[in-house]
Amino acid sequence: MIEELYTPKQIELRGRSRELAETTMRPLAAKYDVAQEYPWEVQKAVKEAGLSGVWIPEEYGGLGGGVLDLCIVVEEFSRACGGMGVAFAVNALGSFPIIVGGTDEQQERFLPGIAAGEKLVAFGLSEGKAGSDAGSMITRAERDGDVYVLNGEKKWNTNGAVASLNTIFAVTEPGRGARGISGFVVEKETPGYRVGKHEDKMGIRCVPVVEIHLEGCRVPADNLLGGKEGRGFKHAMITLDRARPGVAAQAVGLAQGALDLAMEYTHERQQFGQSVSSFQGVQWMFADMATQIEAARQLVHTAARTIDSGHKNISKVSAMCKLFATDVAMKVTTDCVQLFGGYGYCKDYPIEKYMRDAKITQIYEGTNQIQRLVIARNLLREAASESS
Ligand code: CAA
């Protein structure tokens, strides 16, 4: 990170996050990966470090930071543990719909608890048969007096098993496609809200990814995001535009963390009478990896700055940074496993976890195929408007 490009507050934030990651997250990463349990002690430490609400406005008790501040923190956490990075970042994904689409009253009601680290929040968009095609969801919300009755099943709900709040998207007006979808803040105690199957995952194993069953779940009409029906899909899309740089920052952190470990290992490892890092072929791999990581980091930070500036069209650059950084993370973490040789393939060393954790970054919050679709659609739209 070139320090001159960041504010003193951001540099302090990075230092605070790095210290927490090194002292609390790195020593616990393997334990929670094996146990596949949510690391409550880490969540408590994040809360005590005052980092729970980095992206939440100060008036609601947050640090008032933007997406760039969020990305700085997520990169540092993920450098130590990709699972702990997303366990933190997913609270931004879950709370952005409230920030971008909630009424003042909803923001006052829900954001302070999230900012204080008292309440975790998840994001319920995907369904078993509505993944990339999010608009084809079938979870239904029907008005009944002062409540909406929700019925359906949400899938791939990261944080769902531990979150007190879940921003759930459901169809309020069938037949209207994306315009018939609305968002709701659902509290976990709501009757008819049930956490289902826990996925047994390849990576990010410390954060629960679950199914959410909504069975006659009666949600107060006051929890309809923005107080109006039909805005949910747009709120979800605007949320993903803001949140995707966070996934990209997780990827940068994983790639950087893997490179750090590979440089240390190859420096100590002796073969043919010399350290493995002294071979030119290995040094060129380091140079290529470091260049790719820095390019990814700069694209993530440009996307974050563009979003924080209030720019109107953020979809393209957000998708670009997610696509690029996550592909870099997969390549770098795989090459770093290679540099550890046979040891890299075994769980005695921490490197294979980086490769497992990296894979999901190419898939969630929109597969990289969807990111290409978003980029291409925006390119064509821009070309059409320039030629008219
Ligand atoms: N900002 C604002 N509005 C947007 C928008 C954006 N970025 N993208 C689309 N919209 C609006 C459109 O303008 C349109 O509005 P009108 O009806 O008023 O014209 C409406 O939304 C529908 O748009 P499209 O016709 O473009 O929608 P589509 O059905 O073709 O889908 C898509 C577009 C980009 C493919 C979208 O479905 C998508 O992003 N899919 C991927 C979903 C995704 O990322 N899922 C991951 C969920 S989170 C997760 O992984 C789990 C977790 O817990 C971490």
Side-chain angles (χ1 to χ4, degrees):
M1 194 158 126
I2 302 153
E3 297 215 335
E4 287 71 19
L5 298 178
Y6 301 86
T7 64
K9 198 174 153 192
Q10 285 164 342
I11 292 166
E12 187 279 325
L13 197 59
R14 183 190 57 166
R16 203 173 353 152
S17 310
R18 185 170 294 178
E19 196 189 329
L20 185 67
E22 290 304 323
T23 56
T24 309
M25 297 181 181
R26 193 180 295 281
L28 294 171
K31 172 183 155 185
Y32 284 100
D33 178 56
V34 172
Q36 200 165 193
E37 275 172 17
Y38 186 77
W40 284 108
E41 58 188 304
V42 169
Q43 195 269 338
K44 186 165 169 269
V46 171
K47 187 170 140 183
E48 284 168 3
L51 293 169
S52 302
V54 169
W55 63 92
I56 293 180
E58 281 175 349
E59 58 190 302
Y60 302 120
L63 293 188
V67 173
L68 180 56
D69 303 71
L70 171 69
C71 288
I72 288 170
V73 177
V74 173
E75 179 184 333
E76 292 304 327
F77 288 0
S78 305
R79 191 171 175 171
C81 176
M84 292 174 190
V86 66
F88 170 77
V90 74
N91 291 292
L93 175 69
S95 55
F96 280 152
I98 306 171
I99 294 172
V100 301
T103 61
D104 290 349
E105 185 277 327
Q106 289 167 342
Q107 294 184 358
E108 270 164 38
R109 194 150 44 101
F110 297 118
L111 293 179
I114 301 169
E118 301 294 336
K119 285 184 192 284
L120 303 177
V121 54
F123 179 77
L125 182 70
S126 303
E127 297 179 1
K129 292 186 177 166
S132 291
D133 184 7
S136 69
M137 69 176 64
I138 53 172
T139 292
R140 187 78 167 91
E142 287 175 276
R143 180 106 194 202
D144 179 16
D146 289 344
V147 301
Y148 280 87
V149 184
L150 271 60
N151 282 291
E153 278 173 24
K154 290 291 167 182
K155 186 92 183 160
W156 317 126
N157 200 256
T158 309
N159 236 15
V162 292
S164 312
L165 305 170
N166 211 326
T167 44
I168 300 275
F169 296 86
V171 177
T172 39
E173 208 178 333
R176 291 207 72 209
R179 292 183 184 187
I181 292 171
S182 303
F184 299 87
V185 182
V186 183
E187 295 176 75
K188 79 162 190 246
E189 299 80 14
T190 313
Y193 177 91
R194 184 168 65 82
V195 175
K197 181 185 172 212
H198 286 236
E199 305 298 342
D200 186 0
K201 308 181 298 308
M202 173 195 283
I204 59 157
R205 286 168 58 84
C206 72
V207 61
V209 172
V210 297
E211 290 177 355
I212 298 291
H213 298 270
L214 302 154
E215 296 151 341
C217 177
R218 296 177 74 78
V219 178
D222 285 347
N223 291 13
L224 168 69
L225 271 175
K228 281 210 177 103
E229 291 184 9
R231 295 177 169 185
F233 193 77
K234 265 194 203 302
H235 289 158
M237 292 299 111
I238 296 169
T239 289
L240 287 167
D241 285 343
R242 295 175 78 85
R244 284 172 179 154
V247 176
Q250 182 198 6
V252 172
L254 279 163
Q256 185 65 60
L259 177 59
D260 297 342
L261 292 176
M263 287 185 64
E264 195 185 313
Y265 177 80
T266 54
H267 177 68
E268 281 163 19
R269 171 92 173 153
Q270 297 277 319
Q271 289 292 282
F272 303 103
Q274 61 193 94
S275 74
V276 170
S277 66
S278 67
F279 289 101
Q280 192 181 47
V282 172
Q283 291 176 359
W284 285 15
M285 282 176 78
F286 289 150
D288 285 343
M289 288 192 271
T291 305
Q292 291 285 299
I293 294 168
E294 191 56 29
R297 181 180 289 119
Q298 293 311 323
L299 187 53
V300 174
H301 290 188
T302 296
R305 286 196 168 101
T306 307
I307 296 168
D308 292 340
S309 74
H311 198 279
K312 268 208 319 231
N313 189 359
I314 56 172
S315 304
K316 186 178 75 177
V317 72
S318 167
M320 281 176 165
C321 82
K322 200 266 189 191
L323 169 65
F324 187 76
T326 62
D327 282 355
V328 165
M330 201 61 239
K331 169 95 175 75
V332 167
T333 55
T334 306
D335 286 348
C336 287
V337 168
Q338 188 72 19
L339 286 169
F340 274 70
Y343 293 109
Y345 199 63
C346 299
K347 289 183 190 259
D348 290 346
Y349 284 82
I351 196 69
E352 56 83 38
K353 176 177 176 295
Y354 281 78
M355 190 173 114
R356 288 188 286 110
D357 285 352
K359 184 61 210 171
I360 190 61
T361 65
Q362 294 178 306
I363 298 173
Y364 62 15
E365 292 194 34
T367 62
N368 282 3
Q369 287 66 35
I370 287 295
Q371 307 311 319
R372 288 183 176 91
L373 178 142
V374 170
I375 295 163
R377 278 186 183 180
N378 278 280
L379 286 174
L380 292 168
R381 205 173 293 137
E382 284 164 16
S385 75
E386 274 166 25
S387 65
S388 65

